[in-house]
Amino acid sequence: MNVSPETKGAPAPKSEQTRTLILETAMRLFQERGYDKTTMRAIAKEAGVSVGNAYYYFAGKEHLIQGFYDRIGAEHQAAVRPVLDRETDLEKRISGVHRAWLDIAEPYHEFAAQFFKNAADPDSPLSPFSTDSAHAREAAIDVYREVLAGSKAKIPAELEDILPEMLWLSQMGLVLYWVFDRSPGRERCYRLADRGAKLTTRGVALARFRVLRPLVREVHELFVDFLPGMTDESDAGGKSGSTAS
Amino acid sequence: MNVSPETKGAPAPKSEQTRTLILETAMRLFQERGYDKTTMRAIAKEAGVSVGNAYYYFAGKEHLIQGFYDRIGAEHQAAVRPVLDRETDLEKRISGVHRAWLDIAEPYHEFAAQFFKNAADPDSPLSPFSTDSAHAREAAIDVYREVLAGSKAKIPAELEDILPEMLWLSQMGLVLYWVFDRSPGRERCYRLADRGAKLTTRGVALARFRVLRPLVREVHELFVDFLPGMTDESDAGGKSGSTAS
């Protein structure tokens, strides 16, 4: 896959409107008809743009999902400001960030369950671990970088690089649970967010014991070696953009 | 859901044959037509039994999947004998048991990918965490009980109860990865099995540090509290059979 048009530069307001219109229309059709059954042609028609125009903004259906990921990410980054600006307690920072994600994602719950089957496949461009998702993933990991940096918890220097990714992985665990959570108001997920934050904070506290650190590194290496997108970033030593492997 | 007929007592050889015939036919139809599109009626017709007879053996399609889990489990329990009878090294015992599962499961790979969407939902009776799967799950956890008991590794007494479940959970992680693994001969999965075994063994070795044990307990409690079938077992303090929550 090549670099998609929307990453070429800052779009003008008009084209940004068209882009948003196509994205909104696609989200609605995915929800109404299902992801698999919705074509780019149908999205273009419903949005009142030409098929060529739709493809100019989004190289395919997968790219629309990437647009959706980017949007959820942007909303999340705004929603975490109050907790990250105010709290210094690590546990509260983590649970606040998890809870903000659950708040943001709630309107998309039904839709997410629909395309989960595709997104759970690590080789699908829709997977949060894919190279196509690198942009959204890196932005999400940055949030956890700030979670750690702004807390009063002591983070061992040798774990500073990998802990943000590990925290993001725990968020992916929460997302997996969320997809299937049918409890009223996603109540089980909020409890899981709190429990997970407590556990993670205890884990970080235990990292003061030097003997444990190799284990944390190895768990991280396991993820990097076996999840395709993360491998790619590790090889490239940086953010890999939207180049597929 | 009530206790299903097949658990009422030891079936006679003839009825065991009919049961196997229905199960084999269902597996074939699921593979050919998809799980969602195959009806009990179609299975009965194809197997040459009455619909009533099919329902006598299996209360529904979900119960056929339970029959499939039981069968895979039985094959696995036979396949691990060489490694569990011979090896005393914990890492080799774990990787041997994981690898035996991959060997056994290979013929069902295509089929498993089909019904994964249902099985990944912790509230589905098809989920490995459901109360309906308790029988197959308990048998699988017993394998890991033997993995630990027969190894020369020192297991702290306070972790003896929960480590077999944790090892089984790591197998579920491997299964999730396996569903999506398209590498030739499932080569990535075999490597993951070995890496996972190495990591788990290091984790167990670190459990000699008393300060870590509460963390292991809490991770386990998190799973028990948030996965429905495991909660049920914990509440009941034992094997709960096929009673749905």
Side-chain angles (χ1 to χ4, degrees), chain B residues 146-236:
Chain B
E146 194 188 339
V147 164
L148 291 161
S151 89
K152 56 179 196 273
K154 271 188 195 157
I155 314 297
E158 60 179 307
L159 296 182
E160 248 171 26
D161 281 351
I162 64 176
L163 281 181
E165 274 188 19
M166 302 292 277
L167 286 174
W168 175 77
L169 280 167
S170 76
Q171 182 186 312
M172 290 305 101
L174 180 65
V175 171
L176 177 63
Y177 196 81
W178 172 81
V179 167
F180 296 112
D181 185 7
R182 296 191 200 81
S183 62
R186 241 52 77 192
E187 166 274 321
R188 288 204 295 187
C189 267
Y190 283 94
R191 283 195 295 118
L192 181 58
D194 291 345
R195 281 281 292 274
K198 191 179 165 192
L199 206 53
T200 306
T201 305
R202 289 195 63 145
V204 170
L206 284 172
R208 72 180 179 275
F209 297 103
R210 217 168 286 272
V211 68
L212 283 184
R213 297 182 197 164
L215 192 70
V216 180
R217 291 209 81 88
E218 279 172 39
V219 170
H220 180 257
E221 275 166 24
L222 188 80
F223 284 114
V224 168
D225 289 352
F226 286 89
L227 294 170
M230 303 186 78
T231 311
D232 190 70
E233 281 176 299
S234 160
D235 290 350

Side-chain angles (χ1 to χ4, degrees), chain B residues 30 33 41 93 99 112 133 141 150 161 173 177 194 197 214 227 243:
Chain B
F30 290 160
R33 307 178 185 178
R41 181 168 294 275
R93 286 173 77 84
R99 284 176 161 265
S133 304
I141 292 171
D161 281 351
Y177 196 81
D194 291 345
L227 294 170
T243 314

Side-chain angles (χ1 to χ4, degrees), chain B:
Chain B
M1 237 164 277
N2 296 315
V3 174
S4 52
E6 72 262 32
T7 61
K8 274 182 184 162
K14 175 77 170 80
S15 57
E16 183 57 35
Q17 277 173 28
T18 310
R19 193 177 185 281
T20 303
L21 173 68
I22 296 168
L23 187 57
E24 302 281 355
T25 307
M27 292 305 120
R28 181 163 56 79
L29 293 189
F30 290 160
Q31 204 136 13
E32 285 169 14
R33 307 178 185 178
Y35 174 75
D36 291 332
K37 284 182 190 154
T38 305
T39 60
M40 281 295 277
R41 181 168 294 275
I43 294 163
K45 191 181 170 197
E46 191 78 11
V49 302
S50 71
V51 177
N53 205 4
Y55 275 109
Y56 173 79
Y57 287 99
F58 297 97
K61 278 204 292 179
E62 300 83 6
H63 292 256
L64 279 156
I65 298 286
Q66 293 305 332
F68 168 66
Y69 287 165
D70 285 340
R71 181 208 288 195
I72 281 230
E75 287 185 36
H76 189 222
Q77 282 150 46
V80 297
R81 291 299 356 136
V83 66
L84 292 191
D85 291 344
R86 192 185 63 224
E87 279 294 348
T88 56
D89 180 73
L90 181 58
E91 185 179 331
K92 285 183 185 150
R93 286 173 77 84
I94 297 172
S95 69
V97 166
H98 282 353
R99 284 176 161 265
W101 191 88
L102 294 171
D103 294 343
I104 291 302
E106 184 56 30
Y108 309 108
H109 189 262
E110 197 188 340
F111 166 59
Q114 272 187 25
F115 76 85
F116 167 73
K117 188 184 47 155
N118 304 301
D121 181 345
D123 289 323
S124 160
L126 304 189
S127 160
F129 303 108
S130 73
T131 46
D132 293 80
S133 304
H135 178 258
R137 180 170 67 247
E138 275 301 317
I141 292 171
D142 278 344
V143 170
Y144 287 103
R145 223 160 256 138
E146 194 188 339
V147 164
L148 291 161
S151 89
K152 56 179 196 273
K154 271 188 195 157
I155 314 297
E158 60 179 307
L159 296 182
E160 248 171 26
D161 281 351
I162 64 176
L163 281 181
E165 274 188 19
M166 302 292 277
L167 286 174
W168 175 77
L169 280 167
S170 76
Q171 182 186 312
M172 290 305 101
L174 180 65
V175 171
L176 177 63
Y177 196 81
W178 172 81
V179 167
F180 296 112
D181 185 7
R182 296 191 200 81
S183 62
R186 241 52 77 192
E187 166 274 321
R188 288 204 295 187
C189 267
Y190 283 94
R191 283 195 295 118
L192 181 58
D194 291 345
R195 281 281 292 274
K198 191 179 165 192
L199 206 53
T200 306
T201 305
R202 289 195 63 145
V204 170
L206 284 172
R208 72 180 179 275
F209 297 103
R210 217 168 286 272
V211 68
L212 283 184
R213 297 182 197 164
L215 192 70
V216 180
R217 291 209 81 88
E218 279 172 39
V219 170
H220 180 257
E221 275 166 24
L222 188 80
F223 284 114
V224 168
D225 289 352
F226 286 89
L227 294 170
M230 303 186 78
T231 311
D232 190 70
E233 281 176 299
S234 160
D235 290 350
K239 298 163 191 183
S240 65
S242 59
T243 314
S245 58

Side-chain angles (χ1 to χ4, degrees), chain A residues 141-156:
Chain A
I141 292 170
D142 279 344
V143 171
Y144 287 102
R145 224 161 254 136
E146 194 187 341
V147 164
L148 291 161
S151 90
K152 55 180 198 272
K154 273 188 193 153
I155 313 294

Side-chain angles (χ1 to χ4, degrees), chain A residues 55-111:
Chain A
Y55 275 109
Y56 172 78
Y57 287 99
F58 297 97
K61 277 204 294 180
E62 300 81 8
H63 292 256
L64 278 157
I65 298 286
Q66 293 304 332
F68 169 66
Y69 287 163
D70 285 339
R71 180 208 288 192
I72 280 229
E75 289 185 34
H76 188 222
Q77 282 149 47
V80 299
R81 291 295 2 130
V83 66
L84 292 191
D85 291 345
R86 192 184 64 224
E87 280 294 349
T88 56
D89 179 74
L90 181 59
E91 185 178 331
K92 285 182 184 150
R93 286 171 77 83
I94 298 172
S95 70
V97 167
H98 282 351
R99 284 175 160 268
W101 191 88
L102 294 171
D103 294 344
I104 291 302
E106 184 55 30
Y108 309 108
H109 189 260
E110 198 187 340
F111 166 59

